Amino acid sequence: MSIIKSMIIAFAMYSKIPMPVVEWKKENMRYAMCFFPAVGAVIGGCICLIGHLLSSCQVGGLLRGAICTVIPILISGGIHMDGFMDTMDAKASYGDREKKLEILKDSHAGAFAILGLGCYLLLSTAVWSEMPDSMLSFAGMVYVLSRAFSGLSVVCFQAARNSGLLKTFQDHAQKRVVGMTMCGYIAVCVGIMSIMNWKTAIAVFLLVLAVFFYYRRFSYSQFGGITGDLAGYFLQVSELVMLAGIMILGGGLWS
């Protein structure tokens, strides 16, 4: 039963999908991160299904791009985009470490958060509007892969604070099991992508790996570790980079 409760906690925390109420205690949370990429599988599946449906109805690329951009935000509730926006404000402050951590906790959105959000949505819409129908299933894997790497960072990287939601998940997680599970998700995603097109799969894997190590270096140097907001920032950036890579590289290598 603890496995089921862990799954419920993961979906309740990282999505807006209705879930039963479960008590957030240690035994119920130890495997919650193992189901984080499963939320991405739901998002990717919805994008593939709706994307193909829109294409079959001959919907224009711009409208399809906008819808595919909005779907992850609607399903996740915007929790990761909130972290992206907070991080954009903190980065732009050029303050010291404590100042930046304070900005991450601030619930108000600053000018740079709004600018970052606008640029992100425009770029994401543009990428999805140019994504060929044949690549929708490939692109759907991005949402699992980004969450697998994000979950891996939670159990492998040090936290910037001794409190907060990310620290709670770190303290209650069975780190070895979660780490191995995340590696399993990554291997499965890359394997499936390789079956579809191995050249594009290698390129996408290298892209997310580069963003992952940038995320670690950036977080440690400017914040002293990771936070939930920084994890959200990584997830959003890695997804956009991977999708752009699939759109640019996959279009020429798919055949």
Side-chain angles (χ1 to χ4, degrees), residues 2 13 16 32 34 47 57 69 76 86 105-106 112 118-119 129 131 144 156 191 222 234 236:
S2 62
M13 179 64 206
K16 284 296 183 180
C34 293
I47 284 182
C57 295
T69 293
S76 68
D86 288 341
K105 292 194 295 183
D106 191 346
F112 290 98
C119 291
S129 68
M131 191 77 72
V144 181
C156 292
Q222 297 198 32
F234 160 74
Q236 295 292 163

Side-chain angles (χ1 to χ4, degrees), residues 84 87 91 120 142 145-147 149-150 152-153 157 202-220 226 230-245:
F84 171 83
T87 303
K91 284 180 63 178
Y120 189 98
V142 159
L145 197 56
S146 64
R147 282 160 177 78
F149 271 100
S150 183
L152 190 62
S153 74
F157 296 172
I202 291 173
V204 169
F205 178 70
L206 292 176
L207 284 172
V208 69
L209 206 59
V211 178
F212 185 69
F213 285 112
Y214 157 76
Y215 160 51
R216 184 187 187 280
R217 181 178 179 183
F218 162 71
S219 299
Y220 277 50
I226 65 171
L230 293 171
Y233 170 80
F234 160 74
L235 189 142
Q236 295 292 163
V237 172
S238 65
E239 287 178 354
L240 186 58
V241 169
M242 284 190 285
L243 289 171

